[in-house]
Coordinates of all heavy atoms in Angstrom, one line a residue:
M46 N -33.7 20.2 15.2 CA -32.4 20.3 14.6 C -32.6 20.6 13.1 O -33.4 19.9 12.4 CB -31.6 19.0 14.8 CG -30.3 19.1 14.2 SD -29.0 18.1 15.1 CE -29.1 16.5 14.5
S47 N -31.9 21.6 12.6 CA -32.1 22.0 11.2 C -30.8 21.7 10.4 O -29.7 21.6 11.0 CB -32.4 23.5 11.1 OG -31.3 24.2 11.6
P48 N -31.0 21.4 9.1 CA -29.8 21.0 8.3 C -28.9 22.2 8.1 O -29.3 23.4 8.1 CB -30.4 20.6 7.0 CG -31.7 21.2 6.9 CD -32.2 21.3 8.3
A49 N -27.6 22.0 7.9 CA -26.6 23.0 7.7 C -26.8 23.7 6.4 O -26.5 24.9 6.2 CB -25.2 22.5 7.9
F50 N -27.2 22.9 5.4 CA -27.3 23.4 4.0 C -28.7 23.1 3.5 O -29.2 21.9 3.7 CB -26.3 22.7 3.1 CG -24.9 22.9 3.5 CD1 -24.2 21.9 4.1 CD2 -24.2 24.1 3.3 CE1 -22.9 22.0 4.5 CE2 -22.9 24.3 3.8 CZ -22.2 23.3 4.3
H51 N -29.4 24.0 2.9 CA -30.8 23.8 2.5 C -30.8 23.4 1.0 O -31.9 23.1 0.5 CB -31.5 25.1 2.7 CG -31.6 25.5 4.2 ND1 -32.4 24.8 5.1 CD2 -31.1 26.5 4.9 CE1 -32.3 25.3 6.3 NE2 -31.5 26.3 6.2
S52 N -29.7 23.4 0.3 CA -29.7 23.0 -1.1 C -28.3 22.4 -1.4 O -27.4 22.6 -0.7 CB -30.1 24.1 -2.0 OG -29.0 25.0 -2.1
W53 N -28.3 21.7 -2.5 CA -27.0 21.1 -3.0 C -26.1 22.3 -3.4 O -24.9 22.1 -3.2 CB -27.2 20.2 -4.1 CG -27.7 18.8 -3.6 CD1 -29.0 18.3 -3.7 CD2 -26.9 17.8 -3.0 NE1 -29.0 17.1 -3.2 CE2 -27.8 16.8 -2.7 CE3 -25.6 17.8 -2.5 CZ2 -27.3 15.6 -2.0 CZ3 -25.2 16.6 -1.9 CH2 -26.0 15.6 -1.6
A54 N -26.6 23.3 -3.9 CA -25.7 24.4 -4.3 C -25.0 25.0 -3.1 O -23.9 25.4 -3.1 CB -26.5 25.5 -5.0
Q55 N -25.8 25.2 -2.0 CA -25.2 25.7 -0.8 C -24.1 24.7 -0.2 O -23.1 25.1 0.3 CB -26.2 25.9 0.3 CG -27.0 27.2 0.1 CD -28.0 27.3 1.3 OE1 -28.4 26.3 1.9 NE2 -28.4 28.6 1.5
F56 N -24.4 23.4 -0.4 CA -23.5 22.4 0.1 C -22.2 22.5 -0.7 O -21.1 22.5 -0.1 CB -24.1 21.0 -0.1 CG -23.1 19.9 0.2 CD1 -22.7 19.6 1.5 CD2 -22.5 19.1 -0.8 CE1 -21.8 18.6 1.8 CE2 -21.6 18.1 -0.6 CZ -21.2 17.9 0.7
W57 N -22.2 22.6 -2.0 CA -21.0 22.6 -2.9 C -20.3 24.0 -2.7 O -19.1 24.0 -2.8 CB -21.4 22.4 -4.3 CG -21.9 21.0 -4.6 CD1 -23.1 20.7 -5.0 CD2 -21.1 19.8 -4.5 NE1 -23.2 19.3 -5.1 CE2 -22.0 18.7 -4.8 CE3 -19.8 19.5 -4.1 CZ2 -21.6 17.4 -4.8 CZ3 -19.4 18.2 -4.0 CH2 -20.3 17.1 -4.4
A58 N -21.0 25.0 -2.4 CA -20.4 26.3 -2.2 C -19.7 26.4 -0.8 O -18.8 27.2 -0.6 CB -21.4 27.5 -2.3
M59 N -20.2 25.6 0.2 CA -19.6 25.6 1.5 C -19.5 27.0 2.1 O -18.4 27.3 2.7 CB -18.2 24.9 1.5 CG -18.2 23.5 1.3 SD -18.8 22.6 2.7 CE -19.1 21.0 2.1
G60 N -20.5 27.8 2.0 CA -20.5 29.1 2.7 C -19.4 30.0 2.1 O -19.0 30.9 2.8
G61 N -19.0 29.9 0.9 CA -18.1 30.7 0.3 C -16.6 30.2 0.4 O -15.7 30.9 -0.1
Y62 N -16.4 29.1 1.1 CA -15.1 28.5 1.3 C -14.9 27.3 0.5 O -14.0 26.4 0.9 CB -14.9 28.3 2.8 CG -14.9 29.5 3.6 CD1 -16.0 29.8 4.4 CD2 -13.8 30.4 3.6 CE1 -16.0 31.0 5.2 CE2 -13.8 31.5 4.4 CZ -14.9 31.8 5.2 OH -14.9 33.0 5.9
S63 N -15.6 27.1 -0.6 CA -15.6 25.8 -1.3 C -14.2 25.5 -1.8 O -13.8 24.3 -1.8 CB -16.6 25.8 -2.4 OG -16.3 26.9 -3.4
F64 N -13.5 26.5 -2.3 CA -12.1 26.2 -2.9 C -11.3 25.6 -1.8 O -10.6 24.6 -2.1 CB -11.5 27.5 -3.4 CG -10.1 27.3 -3.9 CD1 -9.8 26.7 -5.1 CD2 -9.0 27.7 -3.1 CE1 -8.5 26.5 -5.5 CE2 -7.7 27.5 -3.5 CZ -7.5 26.9 -4.7
Y65 N -11.2 26.1 -0.6 CA -10.4 25.6 0.4 C -10.9 24.3 1.0 O -10.0 23.4 1.3 CB -10.3 26.7 1.6 CG -9.8 28.0 1.1 CD1 -10.7 29.1 1.0 CD2 -8.5 28.2 0.7 CE1 -10.2 30.3 0.5 CE2 -8.0 29.4 0.3 CZ -8.9 30.5 0.2 OH -8.5 31.7 -0.3
V66 N -12.2 24.2 1.1 CA -12.7 22.9 1.6 C -12.5 21.8 0.7 O -12.0 20.7 1.1 CB -14.2 23.1 1.9 CG1 -14.9 21.7 2.2 CG2 -14.5 24.1 3.0
W67 N -12.8 22.0 -0.6 CA -12.7 20.9 -1.5 C -11.2 20.6 -1.9 O -10.9 19.4 -2.2 CB -13.6 21.1 -2.8 CG -15.0 21.1 -2.4 CD1 -15.9 22.2 -2.5 CD2 -15.8 20.1 -1.8 NE1 -17.1 21.8 -2.0 CE2 -17.1 20.5 -1.6 CE3 -15.5 18.8 -1.5 CZ2 -18.1 19.7 -1.1 CZ3 -16.5 18.0 -0.9 CH2 -17.8 18.5 -0.7
L68 N -10.4 21.6 -1.9 CA -9.0 21.4 -2.1 C -8.4 20.5 -0.9 O -7.6 19.6 -1.2 CB -8.2 22.7 -2.2 CG -6.7 22.6 -2.4 CD1 -6.4 21.9 -3.7 CD2 -6.1 24.0 -2.3
S69 N -8.8 20.8 0.3 CA -8.3 20.0 1.4 C -8.8 18.6 1.4 O -8.1 17.7 1.7 CB -8.6 20.7 2.7 OG -10.0 20.7 2.9
V70 N -10.1 18.4 1.0 CA -10.6 17.1 0.8 C -9.8 16.3 -0.3 O -9.5 15.2 -0.1 CB -12.1 17.1 0.5 CG1 -12.6 15.8 0.0 CG2 -12.9 17.7 1.7
F71 N -9.6 17.0 -1.4 CA -8.8 16.3 -2.5 C -7.4 16.0 -2.0 O -6.9 14.8 -2.3 CB -8.8 17.3 -3.7 CG -7.9 16.8 -4.8 CD1 -8.3 15.7 -5.6 CD2 -6.6 17.3 -5.0 CE1 -7.4 15.2 -6.6 CE2 -5.8 16.9 -6.0 CZ -6.2 15.8 -6.8
V72 N -6.7 16.9 -1.3 CA -5.4 16.6 -0.9 C -5.4 15.4 0.1 O -4.5 14.5 0.0 CB -4.7 17.8 -0.2 CG1 -3.5 17.5 0.5 CG2 -4.5 18.9 -1.3
V73 N -6.3 15.4 1.1 CA -6.3 14.3 2.1 C -6.6 13.0 1.4 O -6.0 12.0 1.6 CB -7.4 14.6 3.2 CG1 -7.6 13.4 4.0 CG2 -6.9 15.8 4.0
L74 N -7.6 13.0 0.5 CA -8.0 11.7 -0.2 C -6.8 11.2 -1.1 O -6.5 10.0 -1.2 CB -9.2 11.9 -1.0 CG -10.5 12.0 -0.2 CD1 -11.7 12.2 -1.1 CD2 -10.8 10.7 0.6
S75 N -6.1 12.2 -1.7 CA -5.0 11.8 -2.6 C -3.9 11.2 -1.7 O -3.3 10.1 -2.1 CB -4.4 13.0 -3.3 OG -5.4 13.6 -4.1
I76 N -3.6 11.8 -0.6 CA -2.6 11.2 0.3 C -3.0 9.8 0.8 O -2.1 8.9 0.8 CB -2.3 12.2 1.5 CG1 -1.6 13.4 0.9 CG2 -1.4 11.5 2.5 CD1 -1.4 14.6 1.9
M77 N -4.2 9.7 1.2 CA -4.7 8.4 1.6 C -4.6 7.3 0.6 O -4.1 6.2 0.8 CB -6.1 8.5 2.1 CG -6.3 9.3 3.4 SD -5.3 8.8 4.8 CE -6.3 7.3 5.2
I78 N -4.9 7.7 -0.7 CA -4.8 6.7 -1.8 C -3.4 6.3 -2.0 O -3.0 5.2 -2.3 CB -5.5 7.3 -3.0 CG1 -7.0 7.3 -2.8 CG2 -5.2 6.5 -4.3 CD1 -7.8 8.0 -3.9
I79 N -2.5 7.3 -2.0 CA -1.1 7.1 -2.2 C -0.5 6.2 -1.1 O 0.2 5.2 -1.4 CB -0.3 8.4 -2.3 CG1 -0.6 9.1 -3.6 CG2 1.2 8.2 -2.2 CD1 -0.1 10.5 -3.7
L80 N -0.9 6.4 0.1 CA -0.4 5.6 1.2 C -0.9 4.1 1.1 O -0.2 3.2 1.3 CB -0.9 6.2 2.6 CG -0.1 7.4 3.1 CD1 -0.8 8.0 4.3 CD2 1.3 7.0 3.4
V81 N -2.2 4.0 0.7 CA -2.7 2.6 0.6 C -2.0 1.9 -0.6 O -1.5 0.8 -0.5 CB -4.2 2.6 0.3 CG1 -4.7 1.3 -0.2 CG2 -4.9 3.0 1.6
G82 N -1.8 2.6 -1.7 CA -1.1 2.0 -2.8 C 0.4 1.7 -2.5 O 0.8 0.6 -2.9
H83 N 1.0 2.5 -1.8 CA 2.4 2.3 -1.4 C 2.5 1.1 -0.4 O 3.4 0.3 -0.5 CB 3.0 3.5 -0.7 CG 4.4 3.4 -0.3 ND1 5.4 3.0 -1.2 CD2 5.1 3.6 0.9 CE1 6.6 2.9 -0.6 NE2 6.4 3.3 0.7
S84 N 1.5 1.0 0.5 CA 1.5 -0.1 1.4 C 1.3 -1.5 0.7 O 1.9 -2.5 1.0 CB 0.4 0.1 2.5 OG 0.7 1.2 3.3
V85 N 0.4 -1.5 -0.3 CA 0.2 -2.7 -1.1 C 1.4 -3.0 -1.8 O 1.8 -4.2 -1.9 CB -1.0 -2.5 -2.0 CG1 -1.1 -3.6 -3.1 CG2 -2.3 -2.4 -1.2
Y86 N 2.1 -2.1 -2.4 CA 3.3 -2.3 -3.2 C 4.4 -2.9 -2.3 O 5.1 -3.8 -2.6 CB 3.8 -1.0 -3.9 CG 5.2 -1.1 -4.4 CD1 5.4 -1.8 -5.6 CD2 6.3 -0.6 -3.7 CE1 6.7 -1.9 -6.1 CE2 7.6 -0.7 -4.2 CZ 7.8 -1.4 -5.4 OH 9.0 -1.5 -5.9
Q87 N 4.6 -2.3 -1.1 CA 5.6 -2.7 -0.2 C 5.3 -4.1 0.3 O 6.2 -4.9 0.5 CB 5.7 -1.8 1.0 CG 6.6 -0.6 0.8 CD 6.9 0.1 2.1 OE1 6.0 0.3 3.0 NE2 8.1 0.5 2.3
R88 N 4.1 -4.5 0.6 CA 3.7 -5.8 1.0 C 4.0 -6.8 0.0 O 4.6 -7.9 0.3 CB 2.2 -5.8 1.4 CG 1.8 -7.2 1.9 CD 0.3 -7.2 2.3 NE -0.1 -8.4 2.9 CZ -0.5 -9.5 2.2 NH1 -0.6 -9.5 0.9 NH2 -0.9 -10.6 2.9
R89 N 3.7 -6.5 -1.3 CA 4.0 -7.5 -2.4 C 5.5 -7.6 -2.5 O 6.0 -8.8 -2.7 CB 3.4 -7.0 -3.7 CG 1.9 -7.2 -3.7 CD 1.3 -6.7 -5.1 NE -0.1 -6.8 -5.1 CZ -0.9 -6.3 -6.0 NH1 -0.4 -5.7 -7.0 NH2 -2.2 -6.5 -5.9
Y90 N 6.2 -6.5 -2.5 CA 7.7 -6.6 -2.6 C 8.3 -7.4 -1.5 O 9.2 -8.2 -1.7 CB 8.3 -5.2 -2.6 CG 9.8 -5.1 -2.7 CD1 10.4 -5.4 -3.9 CD2 10.5 -4.9 -1.6 CE1 11.8 -5.4 -4.0 CE2 11.9 -4.8 -1.6 CZ 12.5 -5.1 -2.9 OH 13.9 -5.1 -2.9
L91 N 7.8 -7.2 -0.3 CA 8.3 -7.9 0.9 C 8.1 -9.4 0.8 O 8.9 -10.2 1.0 CB 7.7 -7.3 2.2 CG 8.2 -8.0 3.5 CD1 9.7 -7.8 3.7 CD2 7.4 -7.4 4.7
L92 N 6.9 -9.8 0.4 CA 6.5 -11.2 0.3 C 7.3 -11.8 -0.8 O 7.8 -13.0 -0.7 CB 5.0 -11.4 0.0 CG 4.1 -11.0 1.2 CD1 2.6 -11.1 0.8 CD2 4.4 -11.9 2.4
A93 N 7.6 -11.1 -1.9 CA 8.4 -11.7 -3.0 C 9.8 -11.8 -2.6 O 10.5 -12.8 -2.9 CB 8.3 -10.7 -4.2
T94 N 10.3 -10.9 -1.8 CA 11.7 -11.0 -1.3 C 11.8 -12.2 -0.3 O 12.8 -12.9 -0.4 CB 12.1 -9.7 -0.5 OG1 12.0 -8.6 -1.4 CG2 13.5 -9.7 0.0
I95 N 10.9 -12.4 0.6 CA 10.9 -13.5 1.5 C 10.9 -14.8 0.7 O 11.6 -15.7 1.0 CB 9.7 -13.4 2.5 CG1 10.0 -12.2 3.5 CG2 9.6 -14.7 3.3 CD1 8.8 -11.9 4.3
A96 N 10.0 -14.9 -0.3 CA 9.9 -16.1 -1.1 C 11.2 -16.4 -1.8 O 11.7 -17.6 -1.8 CB 8.7 -16.0 -2.1
S97 N 11.8 -15.4 -2.3 CA 13.1 -15.5 -3.0 C 14.2 -16.0 -2.0 O 15.0 -16.9 -2.4 CB 13.5 -14.2 -3.6 OG 14.8 -14.3 -4.1
K98 N 14.2 -15.5 -0.8 CA 15.2 -15.9 0.1 C 15.0 -17.3 0.6 O 15.9 -18.1 0.8 CB 15.2 -15.0 1.3 CG 15.9 -13.7 1.1 CD 15.9 -12.8 2.3 CE 16.6 -11.4 1.9 NZ 16.8 -10.6 3.1
Q99 N 13.7 -17.7 0.8 CA 13.4 -19.1 1.1 C 13.8 -20.1 0.0 O 14.3 -21.2 0.3 CB 11.9 -19.2 1.5 CG 11.5 -18.6 2.8 CD 10.0 -18.7 3.0 OE1 9.2 -18.9 2.1 NE2 9.6 -18.5 4.3
D100 N 13.5 -19.7 -1.2 CA 13.9 -20.6 -2.3 C 15.4 -20.7 -2.4 O 16.0 -21.9 -2.6 CB 13.5 -20.0 -3.7 CG 12.0 -20.1 -3.8 OD1 11.3 -20.9 -3.1 OD2 11.4 -19.4 -4.7
R101 N 16.2 -19.7 -2.1 CA 17.6 -19.7 -2.1 C 18.1 -20.6 -1.0 O 19.0 -21.5 -1.2 CB 18.2 -18.3 -2.0 CG 19.7 -18.3 -2.0 CD 20.2 -16.8 -2.0 NE 21.7 -16.8 -2.1 CZ 22.5 -16.8 -1.1 NH1 22.0 -16.9 0.2 NH2 23.8 -16.8 -1.2
E102 N 17.5 -20.5 0.2 CA 17.9 -21.3 1.3 C 17.7 -22.8 1.0 O 18.5 -23.7 1.3 CB 17.2 -20.9 2.6 CG 17.7 -19.6 3.2 CD 17.0 -19.1 4.4 OE1 16.1 -19.9 4.9 OE2 17.2 -18.0 4.8
Q103 N 16.5 -23.1 0.4 CA 16.2 -24.5 0.0 C 17.2 -25.0 -1.0 O 17.6 -26.2 -0.9 CB 14.8 -24.6 -0.5 CG 13.7 -24.4 0.6 CD 12.3 -24.4 0.0 OE1 12.1 -24.4 -1.2 NE2 11.3 -24.5 0.9
R104 N 17.6 -24.2 -2.0 CA 18.6 -24.7 -3.0 C 19.9 -24.9 -2.3 O 20.6 -25.9 -2.6 CB 18.7 -23.7 -4.1 CG 17.5 -23.6 -5.0 CD 17.8 -22.8 -6.3 NE 18.4 -21.5 -6.0 CZ 17.8 -20.3 -5.9 NH1 16.4 -20.4 -6.0 NH2 18.4 -19.2 -5.7
M105 N 20.3 -24.1 -1.3 CA 21.6 -24.2 -0.6 C 21.6 -25.5 0.2 O 22.5 -26.3 0.2 CB 21.9 -23.0 0.2 CG 22.2 -21.8 -0.6 SD 22.4 -20.3 0.4 CE 23.6 -20.7 1.6
M106 N 20.4 -25.8 0.9 CA 20.3 -27.0 1.7 C 20.4 -28.2 0.8 O 21.0 -29.2 1.2 CB 19.1 -27.0 2.5 CG 19.0 -25.9 3.6 SD 20.3 -26.1 4.9 CE 19.6 -27.6 5.7
A107 N 19.7 -28.2 -0.3 CA 19.7 -29.3 -1.2 C 21.1 -29.6 -1.8 O 21.6 -30.7 -1.9 CB 18.7 -29.1 -2.4
A108 N 21.9 -28.5 -2.1 CA 23.2 -28.6 -2.6 C 24.1 -29.2 -1.5 O 25.0 -30.1 -1.8 CB 23.8 -27.3 -3.0
K109 N 23.9 -28.8 -0.2 CA 24.7 -29.4 0.9 C 24.5 -30.9 1.0 O 25.4 -31.6 1.2 CB 24.4 -28.7 2.2 CG 25.2 -27.4 2.4 CD 24.8 -26.9 3.8 CE 25.6 -25.6 4.1 NZ 25.3 -25.1 5.5
K110 N 23.2 -31.2 0.9 CA 22.8 -32.7 1.1 C 23.5 -33.5 -0.1 O 24.0 -34.6 0.1 CB 21.3 -32.8 1.1 CG 20.7 -32.4 2.4 CD 19.2 -32.6 2.4 CE 18.6 -32.1 3.6 NZ 17.1 -32.3 3.6
R111 N 23.4 -32.9 -1.3 CA 24.0 -33.7 -2.4 C 25.5 -33.8 -2.2 O 26.1 -34.8 -2.5 CB 23.7 -32.9 -3.7 CG 22.3 -33.1 -4.3 CD 22.2 -32.7 -5.7 NE 22.6 -31.3 -5.9 CZ 21.8 -30.2 -5.9 NH1 20.5 -30.4 -5.7 NH2 22.2 -29.0 -6.1
K112 N 26.1 -32.7 -1.8 CA 27.6 -32.7 -1.6 C 28.0 -33.7 -0.5 O 28.9 -34.5 -0.6 CB 28.1 -31.3 -1.2 CG 29.6 -31.2 -1.2 CD 30.0 -29.8 -0.9 CE 31.5 -29.6 -0.9 NZ 31.9 -28.2 -0.6
H113 N 27.2 -33.7 0.6 CA 27.4 -34.6 1.7 C 27.2 -36.1 1.3 O 28.0 -36.9 1.6 CB 26.5 -34.2 2.9 CG 26.7 -35.1 4.1 ND1 27.9 -35.0 4.9 CD2 25.9 -36.0 4.7 CE1 27.8 -35.9 5.8 NE2 26.6 -36.5 5.8
S114 N 26.1 -36.3 0.6 CA 25.9 -37.7 0.2 C 26.9 -38.2 -0.9 O 27.2 -39.4 -0.9 CB 24.4 -37.9 -0.4 OG 24.2 -37.1 -1.5
A115 N 27.4 -37.3 -1.7 CA 28.4 -37.7 -2.7 C 29.7 -37.9 -2.0 O 30.5 -38.8 -2.4 CB 28.6 -36.6 -3.7
G116 N 30.0 -37.2 -1.0 CA 31.2 -37.4 -0.2 C 31.2 -38.7 0.6 O 32.2 -39.4 0.8
A117 N 30.0 -39.1 1.0 CA 29.9 -40.4 1.8 C 30.0 -41.6 0.9 O 30.5 -42.7 1.3 CB 28.6 -40.4 2.5
K118 N 29.7 -41.5 -0.4 CA 29.7 -42.6 -1.3 C 31.2 -42.9 -1.7 O 31.5 -44.0 -2.1 CB 28.9 -42.3 -2.6 CG 27.4 -42.4 -2.3 CD 26.6 -42.1 -3.6 CE 25.1 -42.1 -3.3 NZ 24.4 -41.8 -4.5
S119 N 32.0 -41.9 -1.8 CA 33.4 -42.1 -2.2 C 34.3 -42.7 -1.2 O 34.2 -43.0 -0.2 CB 34.1 -40.9 -2.7 OG 33.4 -39.8 -2.8

């Protein structure tokens, strides 16, 4: 089995199609990086939203208990 490219210059030239090959590699890697970044952002946003809703529910439950216990004392 012989290598496809015999030198680094041939590898970077990609048989005369280097512009198209490296442009497509750049586009695919850019899209993948954007997707990973967007996924990380969405995960953090979702977790923050869930935490906010849980805090609100806990405050509402505490207010109900205070109201209920204040009504029972009177």
Side-chain angles (χ1 to χ4, degrees):
M46 183 146 85
S47 64
F50 303 104
H51 297 290
S52 69
W53 282 105
Q55 282 183 335
F56 173 74
W57 294 114
M59 289 286 169
Y62 297 102
S63 61
F64 175 76
Y65 304 106
V66 170
W67 296 116
L68 180 63
S69 64
V70 167
F71 173 75
V72 168
V73 168
L74 288 177
S75 298
I76 290 171
M77 295 299 290
I78 290 169
I79 289 169
L80 283 172
V81 167
H83 182 54
S84 297
V85 168
Y86 169 77
Q87 273 193 321
R88 181 178 186 274
R89 287 182 183 168
Y90 178 77
L91 180 63
L92 292 175
T94 302
I95 290 170
S97 173
K98 286 183 180 184
Q99 286 177 340
D100 289 343
R101 182 174 183 269
E102 287 177 9
Q103 287 177 352
R104 288 193 310 268
M105 288 172 56
M106 292 297 289
K109 274 186 181 180
K110 286 181 183 179
R111 282 194 305 265
K112 187 176 181 181
H113 180 70
S114 64
K118 289 181 183 176
S119 355

